Amino acid sequence: MDLKVKLSLWTVGLVLTTMQTVTAQENYKVVVNTSEEPIASGKYKPTWQSLSDYQCPEWFRNAKFGIWAHWGPQCEPEYGDWFARNMYVQGTDQYKYSLETRGPQSQFGFKDWIHEWKAEKWNPDSLIKFYKENGARYFMALANHHDNFDLYDSKYQEWNSVAIGPKKDIIKGWSSACHKYGLPFGVSVHASHAWVWYETSRGCDKSGAFKGVRYDGWLTKSDGKGKWWEGLDPQELYAQNHPLSKNNREWDWKEGEVVLPDQAYCDKFYNRTIDLINKYDPSLIYFDDTVLPLYPFCNAGLDIAAHFYNKSMQEHKGRNESVIFGKILDDEQKKAIVWDVERGAPDKIQPRPWQTCTCIGSWHYDKRIFYDGKYKSARQVILMLVDVVSKNGNLLLSIPIKGDGTIDTTEHHIVSEIGAWLKVNGESIYGTRPWKKYGEGPSTDTLNPIKAQGFNEGRVRYTSKDIRYVQKPGHILYATFMSFPDYGEKVTLKSIKKARHVELLGYGSLKFRNTPEGLQVKLPQSFPNSIALVLKISL
């Protein structure tokens, strides 16, 4: 080809590429500045097209079960989730609790709850050891919540756990323990929403003795003279240097409903998150966001994803061993990151790996749930795990932690029960893959649609006819009963036409017959556990 033609084509290509880049950036109202925390070089660029060849690592697909420490200063009151927001909403339980125990929100705000949080009994080593012994194959730690408080030695957020409150690097403690026990480590990042979420801190009581007295969300650095927080700027925590939104419960950055975050806020979020990744080297990142943080008005989430994937490839000889979770994804986005479903599950097998996240109680510790005995039982957790795994998913289970850094006696018992079942039946969970159908029985004929992020758990009632299937190489099939049949009953698995051998895990071989109606199995007169029975079937 003539040199002039080559140069001409190269010029046209450069122009088109530049135009595409500019066009892509024009879709963002805020483009983050990456000069302080550059994106790692590598094959991935911060576009959906570039990220779409992502392959979920096999270690995650095999792990199936993780435990989450959704723990931070909002656990100090031990009064439930979203405390830092709801303590400023007159009439809520959390507002009343804070007012009655600490005084008016104009004088004692969430910044002061942070100051009280000391995490004095926290022992990450013993907790991680306990979780691994009881079946966890990865661990997730809260790096920050919507309360905007970083639980690590943060370069970009002065309100962090090393400087304030516990005076401890929480993320370092968790990550060191995970490294010691060989448990893949993840972080959950929620702080992108503080901008709108904290707008309640600028309110005031509408009635009563403190009517019209502004809450502490208005305070600035100059107000701290002589206070415990002297030298700190409350606005770096509350992020309220902006007009109020029309709807401060809006989650999806709908312009007109919310005031969109500015350049400085987006840059800070990006820098904080890259700093977290570079400093603590997690294998997983959970974003509590629709799709990605600050998306679609800002490119921060895609930039973080490209950096995370490229960094992983640099550290694993060209393999991407990392996982990013996002919510409410379309089919194209599911090619680039792993879909997370909150407190629920889809009602059919998914073509790509995904994850359910749920909690045995409130996301942030709530002592009322302990006193009232309202935690999920070990059986409820196991049935959810079985159902999720049958549909190509993993289960991330939050075990709420008290303000002092310990779990309560009921939680300890529940985790131990889960572990006891997994010690015997774990081969039907770990390393499995979906079969040609996820199950049979009345529950498989029941529509159970997801609402928004998920929120459809607990709606299906199981019978002894409900079974979930998974498989392993070597023509091994596992069938789990979602409710208990009768002792000695002959049960028929309609989906299986021929088997070579059948055993009940924890018990031994069972008598069976291949019939035109399906595989007929004679159950024993006693069962090996009281949570769920698992048949191991050689086809």
Side-chain angles (χ1 to χ4, degrees):
M1 184 182 292
D2 183 87
L3 179 60
K4 289 183 179 180
V5 175
K6 284 185 178 180
L7 288 172
S8 178
L9 290 173
W10 178 85
T11 303
V12 170
L14 179 62
V15 170
L16 287 173
T17 302
T18 304
M19 287 174 63
Q20 289 170 353
T21 303
V22 171
T23 301
Q25 289 187 351
E26 285 176 350
N27 291 329
Y28 299 119
K29 291 185 178 295
V30 178
V31 176
V32 292
N33 182 346
T34 63
S35 61
E36 290 189 67
E37 298 290 346
I39 299 172
S41 61
K43 67 173 285 189
Y44 288 107
K45 308 302 178 189
T47 67
W48 291 112
Q49 183 178 5
S50 178
L51 299 173
S52 66
D53 75 341
Y54 171 75
Q55 296 294 319
C56 186
E58 287 298 294
W59 75 260
F60 178 76
R61 298 196 68 190
N62 292 334
K64 302 302 180 187
F65 180 55
I67 285 182
W68 190 2
H70 194 284
W71 178 59
Q74 289 181 84
C75 296
E76 177 60 22
E78 299 185 352
Y79 225 68
D81 198 29
W82 281 31
F83 189 92
R85 174 186 167 89
N86 291 336
M87 68 169 284
Y88 297 107
V89 180
Q90 190 177 18
T92 65
D93 288 347
Q94 291 152 317
Y95 165 89
K96 294 174 185 176
Y97 181 81
S98 194
L99 176 64
E100 292 169 2
T101 60
R102 298 298 187 275
Q105 282 78 345
S106 59
Q107 298 174 27
F108 192 100
F110 188 67
K111 68 183 187 313
D112 303 290
W113 280 109
I114 293 173
H115 182 55
E116 289 196 359
W117 182 47
K118 303 304 178 188
E120 64 275 13
K121 296 181 181 179
W122 176 55
N123 187 332
D125 189 282
S126 64
L127 283 172
I128 294 299
K129 183 174 184 287
F130 175 63
Y131 293 151
K132 184 173 183 181
E133 287 174 346
N134 285 285
R137 292 292 175 91
Y138 57 102
F139 177 80
M140 187 80 69
L142 190 75
N144 50 49
H145 198 252
H146 315 317
D147 60 20
N148 214 24
F149 186 75
D150 283 350
L151 297 161
Y152 56 95
D153 188 13
S154 180
K155 190 193 304 184
Y156 298 96
Q157 173 58 300
E158 62 182 17
W159 293 83
N160 68 73
S161 64
V162 175
I164 305 166
K167 304 290 181 70
K168 299 173 183 178
D169 191 331
I170 304 297
I171 293 299
K172 183 178 180 180
W174 288 127
S175 63
S176 296
C178 284
H179 181 75
K180 176 179 177 179
Y181 293 104
L183 209 57
F185 174 65
V187 292
S188 68
V189 174
H190 310 242
S192 64
H193 288 282
W195 176 274
V196 173
W197 192 81
Y198 256 140
E199 287 188 7
T200 57
S201 71
R202 277 193 290 168
C204 62
D205 283 8
K206 302 295 189 295
S207 61
F210 304 102
K211 180 180 179 180
V213 180
R214 299 195 304 185
Y215 303 149
D216 74 326
W218 293 91
L219 294 176
T220 63
K221 188 174 182 177
S222 62
D223 296 311
K225 190 173 182 180
K227 307 283 187 11
W228 73 261
W229 48 275
E230 184 172 358
L232 295 169
D233 186 355
Q235 292 309 312
E236 291 299 308
L237 178 70
Y238 296 137
Q240 291 305 299
N241 289 320
H242 61 84
L244 288 172
S245 298
K246 178 181 176 182
N247 178 7
N248 64 29
R249 288 192 65 86
E250 172 57 46
W251 204 249
D252 294 333
W253 304 114
K254 292 178 183 175
E255 197 167 7
E257 292 292 309
V258 301
V259 175
L260 296 180
D262 60 19
Q263 183 77 46
Y265 183 86
C266 295
D267 286 348
K268 182 177 178 179
F269 177 84
Y270 167 84
N271 286 331
R272 287 162 70 184
T273 308
I274 298 296
D275 179 42
L276 171 70
I277 292 168
N278 292 344
K279 198 170 284 179
Y280 301 97
D281 200 28
S283 298
L284 313 98
I285 299 181
Y286 172 105
F287 287 123
D288 191 7
D289 297 273
T290 300
V291 187
L292 285 171
L294 306 172
Y295 186 83
F297 80 91
C298 175
N299 66 323
L302 285 170
D303 281 13
I304 293 166
H307 173 79
F308 192 48
Y309 288 173
N310 287 337
K311 182 175 182 292
S312 179
M313 292 186 72
Q314 290 174 6
E315 296 170 351
H316 295 95
K317 298 179 180 179
R319 300 188 320 277
N320 185 1
E321 296 292 323
S322 62
V323 183
I324 294 175
F325 303 101
K327 299 181 179 182
I328 315 181
L329 308 180
D330 64 29
D331 289 341
E332 289 304 306
Q333 292 159 350
K334 288 176 184 177
K335 295 177 183 178
I337 59 178
V338 173
W339 181 35
D340 180 84
V341 179
E342 183 174 346
R343 291 191 183 270
D347 49 16
K348 60 184 178 181
I349 296 173
Q350 297 301 298
R352 298 177 184 278
W354 59 282
Q355 176 181 266
T356 280
C357 66
T358 194
C359 184
I360 64 168
S362 172
W363 287 118
H364 285 97
Y365 190 86
D366 192 331
K367 54 193 169 191
R368 295 168 295 182
I369 294 176
F370 169 63
Y371 294 139
D372 295 342
K374 292 185 177 180
Y375 286 126
K376 285 184 177 72
S377 68
R379 184 167 187 273
Q380 286 174 301
V381 172
I382 290 297
L383 293 183
M384 181 177 293
L385 174 64
V386 168
D387 181 63
V388 164
V389 169
S390 74
K391 297 167 183 173
N392 204 25
N394 285 28
L395 176 65
L396 177 63
L397 179 70
S398 177
I399 304 297
I401 297 179
K402 297 193 291 183
D404 65 8
T406 63
I407 61 174
D408 64 44
T409 53
T410 303
E411 292 175 306
H412 193 281
H413 179 70
I414 291 168
V415 173
S416 297
E417 280 192 295
I418 292 169
W421 187 89
L422 285 169
K423 284 179 175 67
V424 175
N425 300 281
E427 67 175 272
S428 69
I429 300 294
Y430 306 121
T432 61
R433 295 293 183 267
W435 192 43
K436 63 184 180 181
K437 58 191 304 185
Y438 75 87
E440 65 176 69
S443 66
T444 62
D445 299 322
T446 303
L447 294 177
N448 188 23
I450 285 172
K451 179 182 178 181
Q453 297 101 306
F455 303 115
N456 66 342
E457 70 179 20
R459 294 180 183 174
V460 175
R461 297 292 177 261
Y462 296 119
T463 72
S464 60
K465 304 295 184 184
D466 286 302
I467 297 166
R468 294 293 180 266
Y469 294 113
V470 290
Q471 64 178 330
K472 275 185 175 177
H475 303 288
I476 301 298
L477 188 67
Y478 295 93
T480 302
F481 291 91
M482 304 299 277
S483 186
F484 279 86
D486 293 331
Y487 297 125
E489 183 181 348
K490 290 182 180 179
V491 295
T492 300
L493 284 66
K494 297 178 181 179
S495 303
I496 304 173
K497 301 307 179 185
K498 188 174 182 180
R500 294 183 293 108
H501 182 261
V502 178
E503 67 176 281
L504 176 62
L505 294 185
Y507 178 86
S509 298
L510 298 178
K511 293 181 179 180
F512 68 95
R513 288 196 311 123
N514 296 309
T515 75
E517 290 75 32
L519 176 64
Q520 188 181 85
V521 179
K522 178 74 160 57
L523 296 177
Q525 294 297 327
S526 63
F527 294 153
N529 72 77
S530 58
I531 289 181
L533 303 179
V534 183
L535 300 180
K536 182 178 181 180
I537 303 164
S538 299
L539 300 178

